[in-house]
């Protein structure tokens, strides 16, 4: 399988190195692309095998040798390139899954998948438990809730939090910043919404999936809890995320999950739902 990576930041870098070192399955990395061309060039130069640096997304889309494009850039990249990639007959892996809170974009992508022999892969990212939620959603799933706790400093610069008049430097006990649906949370927490969207897509949708966001001064890592209840029983799944070695903003598990998703594609034995 020949792969192009779009976005050469934390996740793109970890994925490129995993492919380069043969840890991501039977996969060849053929292109890197980043709006910041210098970043793509530096990453390419750091790899053992030769990789082309694309000057534009069109260069990748035109190349018939590419089978899969991995988006590890930004929600705007999913919006700008997603349909183009799929219409060119290539599969797409999406890390910026928060882009799918735009229902029209999601519906257009699903329509393309219905009509063409192409696939979209969404790694579990920074949360665990999607396997069970997916299975449980095969029957009645009454409740799915995500409780996200982050240290108060993680919400610095968030306009919604500022508008509530909360002084993050003075938060001394766990404080609920938001409670509502995943769909409502998406525009308010653009940085942290990927996990809420993956959970929604795996389970009962963005309108029925509940989200609680807590600024918690007692922790120094991001913690995601999934609570679910249905005909399968009850689930509580807690993930304490360590930051990536390269960038504290990105949970390391998200990058590892992208590597594993890629490896799944060329493995004949698949474990987990
Ligand atoms: N699914 C999850 O659980 C999860 C977890 C962490 C991050 N993410 C998302 O994955 C994406 C990548 O994360 P990261 O930590 O590697 O980010 P990063 O900021 O380290 O790297 C992103 C890179 O993409 C480039 N870029 C941005 N827009 C682009 C575009 N339109 N075309 C080409 N290149 C573009 C930037 O220049 C940057 O180099 C982000 O959208 C992030 O929100 C998802």
């Amino acid at each position: 399988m020949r792969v192009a990576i779009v976005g050469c930041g934390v996740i793109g870098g970890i994925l490129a190195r995993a492919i380069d070192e043969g840890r991501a399955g039977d996969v060849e990395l053929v292109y890197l692309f980043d709006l910041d061309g210098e970043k793509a060039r530096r990453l390419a130069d750091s790899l053992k095998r030769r990789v082309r640096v694309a000057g534009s997304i069109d260069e990748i889309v035109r190349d018939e040798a590419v089978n899969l494009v991995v988006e590890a850039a930004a929600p705007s990249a999913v919006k700008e390139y997603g349909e183009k990639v799929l219409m060119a007959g290539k599969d797409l892996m999406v890390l910026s899954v928060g882009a799918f809170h735009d229902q029209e974009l999601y519906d257009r992508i699903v329509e393309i998948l219905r009509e063409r022999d192409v696939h979209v892969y969404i790694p579990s990212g920074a949360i665990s438990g999607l396997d069970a939620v997916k299975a449980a959603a095969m029957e009645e799933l009454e409740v799915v809730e995500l409780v996200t706790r982050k240290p108060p400093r993680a919400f610095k610069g968030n306009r919604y939090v500022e508008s509530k008049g909360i002084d993050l430097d003075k938060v001394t006990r766990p404080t609920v910043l938001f409670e509502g649906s995943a769909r409502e949370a998406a525009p308010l927490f653009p940085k942290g919404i990927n996990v809420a969207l993956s959970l929604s897509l795996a389970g009962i949708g963005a309108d029925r999936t509940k989200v609680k966001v807590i600024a918690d001064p007692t922790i120094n890592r991001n913690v995601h809890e999934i609570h679910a209840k249905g005909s399968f029983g009850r689930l509580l799944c807690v993930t304490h995320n360590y930051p990536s070695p390269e960038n504290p903003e990105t949970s390391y598990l998200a990058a590892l999950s992208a590597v594993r998703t890629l490896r799944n594609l060329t493995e004949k034995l698949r474990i987990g739902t």
Side-chain angles (χ1 to χ4, degrees), residues 12-273:
I14 289 174
L15 196 54
R17 277 187 285 281
I19 298 174
D20 197 45
E21 291 161 10
R23 289 183 283 113
D26 187 11
V27 165
E28 186 190 346
L29 180 60
V30 285
Y31 284 105
L32 290 173
F33 172 57
D34 198 295
L35 282 185
D36 180 346
E38 190 46 42
K39 241 172 146 174
R41 165 71 45 212
R42 270 203 308 275
L43 179 58
D45 288 346
S46 73
L47 302 175
K48 284 183 283 197
R49 292 163 210 246
R50 206 186 82 82
V51 181
R52 277 177 272 177
V53 172
S56 70
I57 189 73
D58 292 330
E59 196 178 329
I60 295 172
V61 166
R62 274 198 306 268
D63 191 332
E64 288 188 357
V66 176
N67 309 113
L68 169 76
V69 174
V70 179
E71 175 283 322
S76 56
V78 182
K79 201 164 183 168
E80 281 173 52
Y81 317 144
E83 289 156 86
K84 222 181 219 191
V85 165
L86 294 169
M87 291 302 281
K90 301 175 193 322
D91 294 336
L92 176 68
M93 189 190 295
V94 174
L95 267 303
S96 307
V97 56
F100 291 143
H101 91 269
D102 176 346
Q103 190 65 41
E104 283 178 18
L105 172 67
Y106 182 70
D107 290 345
R108 286 201 303 275
I109 298 260
V110 169
E111 188 59 32
I112 296 174
L113 297 183
R114 207 172 284 138
E115 287 171 0
R116 299 183 154 244
D117 186 21
V118 285
H119 302 83
V120 170
Y121 305 107
I122 300 176
S124 300
I127 40 170
S128 50
L130 290 196
D131 51 348
V133 170
K134 264 167 72 182
M138 300 304 293
E139 279 290 343
E140 188 52 34
L141 188 51
E142 293 152 38
V143 177
V144 180
E145 185 181 20
L146 172 73
V147 180
T148 288
R149 292 168 198 277
K150 294 186 179 183
R153 64 180 140 72
F155 298 101
K156 285 253 163 107
N158 178 294
R159 284 212 207 128
Y160 169 73
V161 175
E162 280 169 5
S163 77
K164 292 194 85 178
I166 295 170
D167 183 347
L168 291 164
D169 291 324
K170 296 202 175 121
V171 170
T172 53
R173 65 178 74 158
T175 303
V176 175
L177 301 179
F178 171 84
E179 242 182 311
S181 70
R183 180 138 3 246
E184 289 161 342
L188 306 180
F189 297 93
K191 271 192 185 172
I193 206 56
N194 293 302
V195 289
L197 256 293
S198 343
L199 179 61
S200 301
L201 295 174
I204 53 177
D207 294 314
R208 287 181 62 207
T209 302
K210 295 181 198 157
V211 173
K212 194 188 275 185
V213 180
I214 299 173
D216 187 342
T218 67
I219 56 172
N220 56 10
R221 310 253 190 261
N222 296 351
V223 179
H224 299 294
E225 285 170 21
I226 294 177
H227 302 253
K229 203 169 84 179
S231 53
F232 75 99
R234 280 156 53 94
L235 166 95
L236 167 61
C237 192
V238 186
T239 313
H240 293 251
N241 278 299
Y242 286 167
S244 295
E246 292 87 347
N247 181 346
E249 296 254 320
T250 302
S251 297
Y252 196 26
L253 187 64
L256 297 178
S257 139
V259 175
R260 184 66 231 198
T261 301
L262 190 53
R263 190 163 133 182
N264 285 348
L265 299 182
T266 61
E267 267 188 356
K268 289 193 172 162
L269 176 63
R270 299 206 185 164
I271 300 157
T273 307

